[in-house]
Amino acid sequence: MAKRLIYVAHDNLNLAKGALASASPSTDEIVLIESARMLNSARWHRQRLFFMLSAARHFAAELTRLGYKVHYLKASDTASGILKLKHDFAEVIAAEPSSFRLTKSLSSIGVKFIANDFFMTSRIEFRNWAESQKSLKMENFYRWQRARLDVLMVGAEPEGGRWNFDEENRLAPPKEPHPWPDYPRFERDQIDNEVIEEIANLNLVGSLSEQTWGTTRQAALQQLDFFLSNSFQDFGPYEDAMTSRSWSLYHSLLSPYLNIGLLTADEVVDRALDTFRKKKIPIASCEGFIRQIIGWREYINGIYWFFGEDYREHNQLNSKRRLLPLFEDASATKMNCVSTIVKEIENRAWVHHIPRLMVLSNLAALADVRPDEFLAWMRRIFIDAADWVMVPNVIGMSMHADGGQMSTKPYVAGGAYISRMSNYCKGCAYDPKTRSADDSCPFTTLYWHYLDRNKDLFKKNHRMFQQYSGLRKLKDLDETIARGDNVIDGLLRGEI
Ligand code: FAD
Ligand code: SF4
């Protein structure tokens, strides 16, 4: 009898999930495809391309070692790669792809999908939840997840008596010197080195010298062990802090592995709960971490599928500016926070959620950058980027381009927030406390500029009441708006 052909996407690298869960070398052959369309479609960060290609090649080698016949193809695109082999097989199966584009393309050539179980919440479960809600608040979804999955629950009540520990978990960076964890570095093997050589001549960005990202399941497990033993304890209190003294703080660095399948959300949650009980990790840290995995991660994936393919095109605030040069070049700004963060991205293709949200996206929103331009940049530059995760995080959460479908109020802030949560402002050319002077912090100036230029849209939003009563009280509003116009022009010229 003809065998089945299993297509393993670059984000399905797991033997126990997706189409491979029911596979065997006697009934199935495997295909993985390096698509030229993907490779040439953008100026990717070197770390990202290296990580994706090398992890897939390592996984293909592992499947071969387990006795599978593996077809590792280079093709113009995924569908044409599959079509080259399809006629020799009874059927082609794959896990439901994680993007609309790939779903369409594989459906059009008759690939059969089996449910995507790389998430703890199926697309149908999320839809049912969303359709039962008046608003799609993440907090409500998270509480539903806690109860449904029976995570950190004592009967029907949250363990520790509270659903969240945000008050404990919003500390500014501690006094230095502070013993920040020193994260593992992963030695390159032969497959890694082959990939490095192959991509050396491509038109990419960023540096490959930091060895932060491993490319095997073993490396992913090592990273998980390291996090649970060294950083989990302090994850909560400093999860929103930013400091030039540590690029990682206590973050887990697990998103790249989770997003390509080398780790799965359920195993990370099980290991975290086990460590919490055995090592007496503070509940604020455990809850803070669990919230990220069963709350934010699952919610974002649910939102991507729930809002549909056109969601990415929203631009409710009608933003018109092109991408600012400082996102591509740390030397194109005197803003210490931005240049420090962009340099970190150049090194590792990673920064944690607060630099992404409250510095980079905040600046893009305040400077009126088009959401599609900013999305495209983030998508090609971050190690853990994927369509399902970038689109809601950028269009909904951080740019508020969806007219409030996801969050009722925009995540924008002036320099005071960055000053409180980081040590960046001490070494900066700008002053976070003023708004209309020549050396005023661009964030502070543009915060008021943003509120003023979007007042027709936001003035009826009761969650923005306080901000708008602040705006009405400004005595130097005209000067602030004039400086805001100059700041946007200066940012576009790379001179601020
Ligand atoms: P931790 O801080 O240790 O958190 C643990 C895990 O929680 C992460 O590994 C991740 O899997 C999950 N998580 C937390 N927040 C989110 C979220 N908002 N969306 C999805 N998962 C979340 N995360 C990505 O995985 N890929 C992206 O492309 C991505 N883009 C983002 C863009 C913006 C504008 C913002 C605000 C956030 C984005 N995030 C993205 C979420 C978050 O920044 C990263 O998941 C996190 O920084 C990864 O580092 P970590 O593994 O150390 O995370
Ligand atoms: Fe960033 Fe403003 Fe602080 Fe400078 S003063 S580091 S621009 S927040």
Side-chain angles (χ1 to χ4, degrees):
M1 207 178 80
K3 283 184 172 179
R4 300 185 306 174
L5 181 65
I6 296 182
Y7 167 64
V8 176
H10 276 61
D11 56 3
N12 287 178
L13 309 185
N14 197 296
L15 290 167
K17 296 277 179 188
L20 287 175
S22 65
S24 121
S26 58
T27 53
D28 304 296
E29 292 184 16
I30 315 287
V31 60
L32 289 98
I33 295 163
E34 279 180 19
S35 140
R37 196 201 65 81
M38 189 280 283
L39 238 77
N40 302 324
S41 62
R43 285 185 76 203
W44 304 107
H45 195 301
R46 287 186 173 79
Q47 294 273 4
R48 176 177 159 75
L49 201 59
F50 158 73
F51 176 69
M52 302 291 291
L53 296 182
S54 189
R57 292 187 193 184
H58 277 95
F59 191 67
E62 170 69 3
L63 288 167
T64 307
R65 203 181 56 75
L66 292 171
Y68 284 101
K69 178 159 185 196
V70 177
H71 306 264
Y72 194 94
L73 303 185
K74 294 188 181 193
S76 56
D77 60 71
T78 305
S80 34
I82 293 174
L83 284 174
K84 279 188 197 156
L85 301 173
K86 190 171 180 265
H87 47 81
D88 291 336
F89 294 88
E91 58 179 358
V92 185
I93 64 166
E96 288 167 327
S98 61
S99 71
F100 288 105
R101 195 194 49 75
L102 194 59
T103 306
K104 260 194 196 162
S105 134
L106 297 193
S107 306
S108 73
I109 58 161
V111 174
K112 283 196 190 150
F113 297 140
I114 58 164
N116 183 320
D117 56 354
F118 286 83
F119 291 86
M120 296 170 82
T121 323
S122 72
R123 294 170 195 177
I124 304 230
E125 280 166 331
F126 187 88
R127 174 167 291 280
N128 289 341
W129 172 80
E131 285 174 349
S132 72
Q133 303 294 303
K134 281 203 194 104
S135 82
L136 299 179
K137 275 195 194 134
M138 199 306 276
E139 184 65 30
N140 296 345
F141 170 76
Y142 169 64
R143 292 181 189 188
W144 177 74
Q145 288 282 77
R146 288 267 297 272
R148 183 177 78 84
L149 300 167
D150 194 20
V151 170
L152 292 178
M153 297 297 290
V154 182
E157 297 303 316
E159 188 162 342
R162 279 150 61 190
W163 290 103
N164 76 57
F165 293 81
D166 284 353
E167 271 167 42
E168 288 90 330
N169 286 355
R170 285 195 179 139
L171 298 190
K175 283 218 166 71
E176 297 290 347
H178 182 82
W180 295 109
D182 188 13
Y183 276 81
R185 288 171 187 81
F186 295 97
E187 289 300 314
R188 314 283 204 212
D189 66 8
Q190 196 192 332
I191 296 179
D192 291 330
N193 287 327
E194 278 165 17
V195 174
I196 292 171
E197 220 178 288
E198 269 179 53
I199 66 173
N201 296 324
L202 298 181
N203 184 16
L204 306 171
V205 298
S207 153
L208 242 183
S209 53
E210 289 292 341
Q211 299 185 193
T212 309
W213 311 111
T215 49
T216 59
R217 172 149 168 90
Q218 197 193 4
L221 288 170
Q222 195 183 327
Q223 181 65 38
L224 176 60
D225 288 344
F226 181 91
F227 168 70
L228 294 174
S229 311
N230 300 284
S231 309
F232 190 22
Q233 168 95 15
D234 296 302
F235 174 85
Y238 298 118
E239 66 175 308
D240 285 2
M242 300 177 279
T243 171
S244 53
R245 302 298 185 101
S246 167
W247 62 270
S248 58
L249 291 90
Y250 293 104
H251 288 273
S252 68
L253 311 194
L254 295 177
S255 55
Y257 306 111
L258 280 164
N259 292 358
I260 63 168
L262 288 180
L263 290 178
T264 58
D266 45 7
E267 74 179 336
V268 170
V269 168
D270 288 348
R271 290 281 313 276
L273 292 174
D274 191 49
T275 310
F276 165 63
R277 309 238 178 267
K278 288 190 182 139
K279 289 203 169 173
K280 300 205 167 44
I281 300 291
I283 181 116
S285 281
C286 183
E287 187 282 320
F289 181 71
I290 292 291
R291 165 183 293 268
Q292 306 302 315
I293 306 280
I294 69 167
W296 277 110
R297 187 170 190 273
E298 298 285 319
Y299 173 78
I300 289 288
N301 182 54
I303 288 280
Y304 176 80
W305 293 100
F306 184 64
F307 281 152
E309 199 174 353
D310 299 338
Y311 184 68
R312 62 187 324 116
E313 282 156 25
H314 281 289
N315 182 5
Q316 164 88 2
L317 302 180
N318 201 16
S319 298
K320 293 190 187 67
R321 270 45 187 233
R322 65 182 158 84
L323 191 73
L324 307 176
L326 51 72
F327 289 120
E328 311 259 27
D329 174 6
S331 69
T333 181
K334 297 191 282 279
M335 289 191 276
N336 196 33
C337 53
V338 178
S339 66
T340 309
I341 288 165
V342 171
K343 266 182 227 145
E344 282 174 2
I345 296 173
E346 282 168 10
N347 288 336
R348 296 188 179 78
W350 182 94
V351 285
H352 74 72
H353 67 136
I354 296 298
R356 294 188 205 200
L357 183 65
M358 299 310 292
V359 180
L360 302 170
S361 310
N362 187 18
L363 183 64
L366 296 180
D368 209 26
V369 172
R370 282 174 47 175
D372 58 343
E373 291 239 339
F374 186 65
L375 173 65
W377 173 72
M378 286 210 122
R379 184 88 175 67
R380 66 187 170 80
I381 239 63
F382 279 95
I383 188 84
D384 51 14
D387 213 45
W388 66 266
V389 61
M390 270 299 171
V391 171
N393 269 310
V394 171
I395 300 297
M397 177 144 84
S398 66
M399 301 285 290
H400 204 74
D402 66 348
Q405 291 184 71
M406 192 173 144
S407 338
T408 44
K409 131 182 196 232
Y411 274 97
V412 285
Y417 175 87
I418 298 170
S419 173
R420 189 167 66 249
M421 294 308 293
S422 78
N423 69 346
Y424 297 140
C425 299
K426 283 183 196 116
C428 185
Y430 298 107
D431 177 359
K433 292 194 274 319
T434 65
R435 57 186 165 260
S436 55
D438 287 347
D439 69 344
S440 291
C441 167
F443 282 94
T444 310
T445 306
L446 289 179
Y447 173 72
W448 299 109
H449 193 274
Y450 176 94
L451 289 184
D452 187 64
R453 69 175 188 260
N454 292 311
K455 57 180 176 280
D456 289 344
L457 262 172
F458 291 140
K459 68 185 171 202
K460 288 200 187 114
N461 182 337
H462 68 277
R463 293 198 65 210
M464 303 285 284
F465 179 79
Q466 223 183 334
Q467 284 89 329
Y468 278 97
S469 73
L471 183 76
R472 280 191 296 274
K473 285 184 203 140
L474 292 192
K475 298 223 167 61
D476 57 351
L477 181 61
D478 290 346
E479 294 89 322
T480 305
I481 300 304
R483 171 161 161 77
D485 291 338
N486 290 337
V487 167
I488 293 181
D489 288 346
L491 285 168
L492 286 164
R493 290 194 306 270
E495 290 171 3
I496 288 284

